[in-house]
Amino acid sequence: MGYVVLHIEKAAGTDAAMSGHVERRITPANVITTLTYLNQELIEFPKGVASRTEAIQHRLDNAGLERKIGKNQVRALRVVMSGSPEDMKRIRQAGQLDAWAKDSCGWLQKTFGKENVVSAVLHLDEKTPHIHATVVPIVRGERRKAKLERVKNARSGKRTYRTKKDRSRLCADDVMARDKLKAYQTTYAEAMAKYGLRRGVEGSEAKHISTQQYYREVFVRKNEIAEQVENLKEQRQTLTVDIAALQAQREAARSELTQTRREIKTDKLKGVAVDATTKAVERIGALFHDPKPARYEKQIADLRDVIEGKDKDIKSLQREIATIQAGHDKEVANLKQEAQQVVKALMRVDDLCPYVKGLLKWENYCKNVGLDKEGIRALFTMQPYRYTGELHSTKYNHTLRANDVVLQLKPDEDGPADSGSP
């Protein structure tokens, strides 16, 4: 039995960068682009709204807020919902993925309010299926901080007054309170129990990160290690130069000592004045007792030990880089293998049911007309579908009222159209 994945964080500004990721206008490296068409919009945008960013602003404009939104105020929350990779694979193979996505969205709307959940996209073009949802933190009633202050004053006997006005407020702090975050994990796990998913260990220090964040951290770590290797190589080079200098000094000292020893043996030294002889003897004694050569030997030995340590560090870091690269290469190979299998399966579907490709393009047309997901699914059974409601013509930019009309898709008598265009 695996675990649920529920990650909630505050977005900055209009969160345009995340909109680009969710809507695949920005394609991360781990995305299998040939499968992007499988991604699903789970929340229908209001009429006239075409993107996640517009949906956030539409909710803010229509929430009845009385206060002006601050420049740095949080306008949206990012929510990522998934499960353990093995369990999401099991759910998908069991044909329960649509039900899982529907129940996940249902939990979101029940928890944060249906109107506040402005976007939810199921990503199926990555290794593990997951949902990127967007919640605008609109709340009602007394502010959390004001309530805590009122309770505190009541305990101390100080008179306080409760605000009677039940107005809408934009307040991410109220939604993201610590006790509420814990409750979200619990209630979401309860909603997902039917799919064999459970809550993570409460109080655990483990943190869920997105795939995008994972690859970003791997990339940063790899660069940091490479930089450390270069620094160690530079240090090693500097130490090598120092050793060469010490060796030169050592040889100079040895040469001076050898020369002095030669002078002792010459007749020239025997005929000099007594004071000169005394100075020479002092000089010779100093050279014989001078610790410089031995000191140089010790410094050279110490530096060689340091270099040996640097070499070990370099080899260790290079092994870590190789491990990271191997893991990344294996992950990419697995993704490519899965992509090939999915492409082969789609090719078989296209071979057996050639009209399916055309239906996929008809799906967008049906959405633009005004049919919801259930209506499109009923229509794609190729059976007559009775519909009452509004239908919109994108060609004439006109909306008309349909009362108990019969809609049906039929195969082209001349064979399936290659373009599949409506």
Side-chain angles (χ1 to χ4, degrees):
M1 189 174 187
Y3 297 98
V4 296
V5 172
L6 176 65
H7 181 66
I8 307 174
E9 64 181 2
K10 297 176 181 178
T14 59
D15 205 25
M18 180 53 68
S19 292
H21 170 83
V22 171
E23 296 166 356
R24 289 299 187 248
R25 288 181 281 104
I26 300 173
T27 306
N30 61 309
V31 167
I32 307 170
T33 55
T34 55
L35 302 182
T36 298
Y37 77 95
L38 294 174
N39 295 346
Q40 298 178 26
E41 288 278 358
L42 304 175
I43 300 294
E44 186 177 357
F45 291 143
K47 188 172 295 185
V49 174
S51 68
R52 173 179 178 271
T53 303
E54 291 180 11
I56 294 172
Q57 190 60 48
H58 181 274
R59 175 57 182 147
L60 293 173
D61 293 341
N62 294 275
L65 301 177
E66 297 181 4
R67 289 191 177 188
K68 183 180 179 181
I69 299 175
K71 183 178 179 180
N72 297 322
Q73 197 167 357
V74 176
R75 292 167 168 77
L77 303 177
R78 302 172 180 172
V79 183
V80 177
M81 296 182 291
S82 187
S84 304
E86 300 80 7
D87 291 273
M88 293 307 298
K89 184 177 181 180
R90 170 181 54 78
I91 291 170
R92 188 174 191 174
Q93 291 175 343
Q96 296 179 311
L97 198 57
D98 284 346
W100 170 84
K102 183 178 180 180
D103 287 342
S104 292
C105 285
W107 175 85
L108 272 175
Q109 293 175 336
K110 180 180 178 181
T111 303
F112 300 102
K114 185 175 182 180
E115 293 181 342
N116 291 335
V117 182
V118 298
S119 173
V121 178
L122 175 62
H123 279 174
L124 298 175
D125 56 357
E126 298 180 46
K127 185 174 182 181
T128 303
H130 58 277
I131 294 174
H132 281 282
T134 306
V135 173
V136 178
I138 302 292
V139 297
R140 301 184 70 86
E142 189 176 16
R143 292 182 176 274
R144 183 180 180 85
K145 291 182 180 179
K147 183 178 181 180
L148 294 175
E149 186 67 23
R150 179 171 54 79
V151 172
K152 180 180 178 181
N153 291 338
R155 289 175 179 172
S156 62
K158 186 178 179 180
R159 179 176 293 181
T160 57
Y161 299 92
R162 178 186 295 184
T163 304
K164 294 182 179 180
K165 196 170 184 179
D166 185 24
R167 59 188 180 187
S168 296
R169 298 181 291 107
L170 178 66
C171 187
D173 288 341
D174 280 9
V175 178
M176 296 284 283
R178 186 175 180 82
D179 57 336
K180 289 187 177 181
L181 290 174
K182 288 184 176 181
Y184 299 153
Q185 297 288 341
T186 300
T187 56
Y188 182 57
E190 291 171 353
M192 295 293 104
K194 66 172 76 173
Y195 302 105
L197 299 174
R198 58 179 173 173
R199 191 193 194 284
V201 179
E202 189 168 354
S204 170
E205 295 182 359
K207 295 182 179 180
H208 295 296
I209 61 173
S210 66
T211 306
Q212 183 183 16
Q213 180 67 17
Y214 166 76
Y215 279 106
R216 185 185 299 118
E217 291 180 2
V218 169
F219 178 77
V220 170
R221 176 59 181 155
K222 185 177 178 182
N223 285 348
E224 287 176 350
I225 292 174
E227 187 176 348
Q228 290 176 28
V229 170
E230 291 303 316
N231 288 337
L232 287 171
K233 287 181 177 179
E234 290 179 5
Q235 293 173 24
R236 188 182 189 283
Q237 182 64 28
T238 301
L239 290 172
T240 302
V241 173
D242 291 343
I243 287 176
L246 286 171
Q247 287 173 335
Q249 293 174 22
R250 179 188 63 186
E251 293 305 316
R254 284 176 176 173
S255 177
E256 185 178 0
L257 183 59
T258 301
Q259 180 65 26
T260 303
R261 282 172 175 165
R262 270 197 213 102
E263 290 176 359
I264 293 174
K265 295 178 181 180
T266 61
D267 293 334
K268 182 180 178 181
L269 185 59
K270 295 178 181 178
V272 297
V274 175
D275 58 341
T277 303
T278 303
K279 291 181 179 179
V281 171
E282 290 175 353
R283 179 181 168 213
I284 293 167
L287 284 172
F288 275 113
H289 294 89
D290 186 6
K292 276 187 178 180
R295 186 169 70 247
Y296 292 151
E297 292 287 355
K298 186 177 185 306
Q299 289 179 358
I300 290 171
D302 290 343
L303 288 175
R304 281 177 173 161
D305 288 341
V306 174
I307 286 179
E308 185 178 352
K310 299 292 183 185
D311 286 340
K312 289 181 180 179
D313 290 342
I314 288 172
K315 289 179 180 178
S316 176
L317 291 171
Q318 286 174 337
R319 284 195 298 268
E320 187 172 350
I321 288 178
T323 301
I324 291 175
Q325 187 63 46
H328 176 72
D329 292 343
K330 183 178 179 181
E331 186 76 11
V332 171
N334 290 338
L335 289 173
K336 287 182 177 179
Q337 185 178 4
E338 290 187 8
Q340 290 173 355
Q341 292 174 352
V342 172
V343 170
K344 288 180 180 178
L346 292 174
M347 290 175 65
R348 291 199 301 271
V349 170
D350 187 45
D351 184 45
L352 296 172
C353 307
Y355 61 86
V356 169
K357 187 184 296 184
L359 287 178
L360 291 176
K361 296 184 178 181
W362 270 93
E363 180 186 11
N364 289 329
Y365 178 79
C366 292
K367 286 182 179 179
N368 293 332
V369 167
L371 296 179
D372 57 18
K373 186 176 181 179
E374 294 299 325
I376 296 173
R377 182 175 296 173
L379 196 61
F380 278 19
T381 61
M382 310 300 284
Q383 300 296 320
Y385 170 62
R386 292 188 175 277
Y387 175 77
T388 298
E390 292 184 344
L391 293 175
H392 181 74
S393 172
T394 55
K395 183 176 181 180
Y396 298 102
N397 193 23
H398 180 70
T399 300
L400 54 88
R401 178 72 183 177
N403 186 23
D404 196 29
V405 298
V406 177
L407 305 176
Q408 185 177 6
L409 288 177
K410 293 183 179 180
D412 193 323
E413 295 180 357
D414 297 329
D418 293 333
S419 63
S421 59

